[in-house]
Amino acid sequence: MESIVSNLACLLFLLSSLISYILLTKLKREAEKCAKLPPGSMGWPFIGETLQIYSQDPNVFFATKQKRYGEIFKTHILGCPCVMLASPEAAKFVLATHAHFFKPTYPKSKEKIIGPSALFFHQAGYHARLRKLVQSSLSPERIKKLIPDIEAIAISALESCAVGQVINTFKEMKKFSFDVGILSIFGNLDDSYREKLKQNYLIVDKGYNSFPSNIPGTAYHKALLARKRLSQIVSEIICERKEKRLLEKDLLGCLLNSRDEKGRTLTEDQIADNIIGVLFAAQDTTASVLTWILKYLHDNPKLLEAVKAEQKLVHESNNGGQRALTWAQTKNMRCTYRFILESMRMASIISFTFREAVCDVEYKGFLIPKGWKVMPLFRNIHHNSEFFSEPQKVDPSRFKVR
């Protein structure tokens, strides 16, 4: 009798296990039908495919993956599972139409350097408010008034380079973009403030991409100290503006005069973080673009002559530079403008950007799990022959309005 009961118990256990397995398999298949992970490889445990991406040109790595798996694929780099997106529609999905499903993500070491209140470390209301303030300070109406000052900075930069010596183009462009950035943020700032800002910003810039060690004497530690001094300098400028009751329409003025729906103003720390964040976001990318523009002009003599001819006409119309450049004239530089657009496409200064999924997201039948990094691959898009014929060729005419 005991053996019969024992056999029945074993049989029931086996049957229940079999039914559970069938049900679980069915549920898993149904879930996979709804949304599955994109194709791709996650590489080795823990390190993923980090070694592969650092042992070759990252652009070649991503291009090879795209060719094999398509416009959406998964990988594992820098300790994070990632979904890569290589189409304009996908980039728009992540950065615009469904941006609320994704948040910007940066290493904590970078956040400490720039400041935790900078707009690109946030989402939703605060991010939208700060973004609107930054955009309003750089509106066409505001930029129109800055054109003569920007031209003066450009002429000064060119004259300083015309000394018959070999120069580092990127470094010179960084100086130029810094001065234009200061003008956009603070307006016509006192020279003493400008010099103090520049000295400390250079220290911060040098430590930004260094190993994040807070040991005294390291580049990162020096950068943190310089970052504190930058906040103090910004506080002094704010104090002076308040004392003089200056109502400027530059970025600092927009931040100072802003109030939320409850009438609250931004704190000085929030203002400093966003000013330094904008300066960081603008300087290196602008300097890089300008450097690549000069390279492509040098490498394409016919295009260089076309751009020079257009600029010469503008110069002559302004009495050989006796009159300042105008907004209308910059809008009529069609040849120059197309060359700038093509240089930006070719160089693709920002190859990709990091976002993180704040919830499970489905895109084109694929699952992007919560917590995974999402990377729109701008360079892959810009160098895809489906969107740009002969993508490796410098051809500004592709931007002609037809």
Side-chain angles (χ1 to χ4, degrees), residues 286-320:
T286 303
S288 295
V289 169
L290 291 170
T291 302
W292 279 103
I293 288 171
L294 291 174
K295 182 200 182 300
Y296 291 134
L297 283 171
H298 172 271
D299 294 347
N300 296 272
K302 288 184 179 180
L303 293 173
L304 172 59
E305 290 305 315
V307 170
K308 283 171 65 177
E310 185 174 67
Q311 294 303 313
K312 187 177 180 181
L313 287 173
V314 174
H315 186 69
E316 290 173 350
S317 69
N318 284 344
N319 261 351

Side-chain angles (χ1 to χ4, degrees), residues 234-286:
V234 172
S235 292
E236 290 174 20
I237 296 170
I238 290 173
C239 183
E240 186 176 295
R241 281 210 181 179
K242 287 180 176 178
E243 286 178 358
K244 294 181 178 179
R245 296 183 180 180
L246 298 173
L247 297 174
E248 303 291 345
K249 292 185 178 180
D250 48 34
L251 177 58
L252 178 56
C254 289
L255 296 174
L256 282 171
N257 297 326
S258 170
R259 282 171 171 71
D260 64 13
E261 62 279 0
K262 295 182 179 179
R264 294 173 298 193
T265 59
L266 293 168
T267 66
E268 287 191 7
D269 283 340
Q270 288 175 321
I271 292 172
D273 288 358
N274 281 283
I275 282 174
I276 294 163
V278 168
L279 198 55
F280 254 93
Q283 199 210 12
D284 270 17
T285 50
T286 303

Side-chain angles (χ1 to χ4, degrees), residues 121-366:
F121 298 134
H122 294 267
Q123 281 183 288
Y126 180 81
H127 178 274
R129 177 190 175 194
L130 268 296
R131 184 176 178 178
K132 187 176 180 181
L133 289 172
V134 172
Q135 288 175 334
S136 65
S137 71
L138 299 173
S139 66
E141 288 303 315
R142 170 67 183 158
I143 294 174
K144 284 179 186 179
K145 297 175 182 177
L146 295 179
I147 293 293
D149 292 317
I150 294 173
E151 182 188 24
I153 294 171
I155 292 171
S156 176
L158 289 170
E159 288 175 346
S160 69
C161 294
V163 291
Q165 295 179 346
V166 175
I167 64 167
N168 183 309
T169 306
F170 182 57
K171 285 184 178 179
E172 295 302 321
M173 293 303 102
K174 284 187 77 169
K175 292 177 186 176
F176 170 70
S177 58
F178 179 86
D179 288 339
V180 174
I182 292 295
L183 174 69
S184 304
I185 293 168
F186 298 103
N188 293 308
L189 189 64
D190 183 83
D191 287 342
S192 63
Y193 282 132
R194 182 185 287 105
E195 192 56 35
K196 286 194 288 185
L197 286 168
K198 182 178 288 186
Q199 287 174 0
N200 287 284
Y201 178 83
L202 289 174
I203 298 171
V204 171
D205 186 42
K206 189 175 181 179
Y208 182 72
N209 287 317
S210 65
F211 185 77
S213 169
N214 207 10
I215 298 172
T218 61
Y220 186 75
H221 181 75
K222 290 178 182 177
L224 289 176
L225 296 177
R227 173 62 181 80
K228 289 180 181 178
R229 293 194 293 271
L230 282 175
S231 285
Q232 291 167 359
I233 297 165
V234 172
S235 292
E236 290 174 20
I237 296 170
I238 290 173
C239 183
E240 186 176 295
R241 281 210 181 179
K242 287 180 176 178
E243 286 178 358
K244 294 181 178 179
R245 296 183 180 180
L246 298 173
L247 297 174
E248 303 291 345
K249 292 185 178 180
D250 48 34
L251 177 58
L252 178 56
C254 289
L255 296 174
L256 282 171
N257 297 326
S258 170
R259 282 171 171 71
D260 64 13
E261 62 279 0
K262 295 182 179 179
R264 294 173 298 193
T265 59
L266 293 168
T267 66
E268 287 191 7
D269 283 340
Q270 288 175 321
I271 292 172
D273 288 358
N274 281 283
I275 282 174
I276 294 163
V278 168
L279 198 55
F280 254 93
Q283 199 210 12
D284 270 17
T285 50
T286 303
S288 295
V289 169
L290 291 170
T291 302
W292 279 103
I293 288 171
L294 291 174
K295 182 200 182 300
Y296 291 134
L297 283 171
H298 172 271
D299 294 347
N300 296 272
K302 288 184 179 180
L303 293 173
L304 172 59
E305 290 305 315
V307 170
K308 283 171 65 177
E310 185 174 67
Q311 294 303 313
K312 187 177 180 181
L313 287 173
V314 174
H315 186 69
E316 290 173 350
S317 69
N318 284 344
N319 261 351
Q322 295 300 310
R323 289 199 303 268
L325 188 67
T326 67
W327 171 261
Q329 287 174 323
T330 66
K331 300 299 286 182
N332 284 326
M333 296 176 183
R334 293 183 177 85
C335 178
T336 305
Y337 179 62
R338 287 195 293 267
F339 190 88
I340 291 170
L341 291 178
E342 178 66 348
S343 297
M344 291 173 70
R345 182 197 69 81
M346 283 289 295
S348 293
I349 302 303
I350 301 175
S351 296
F352 55 82
T353 188
F354 275 104
R355 291 293 186 271
E356 182 180 312
V358 298
C359 59
D360 286 350
V361 182
E362 186 177 336
Y363 176 72
K364 289 194 172 181
F366 291 114

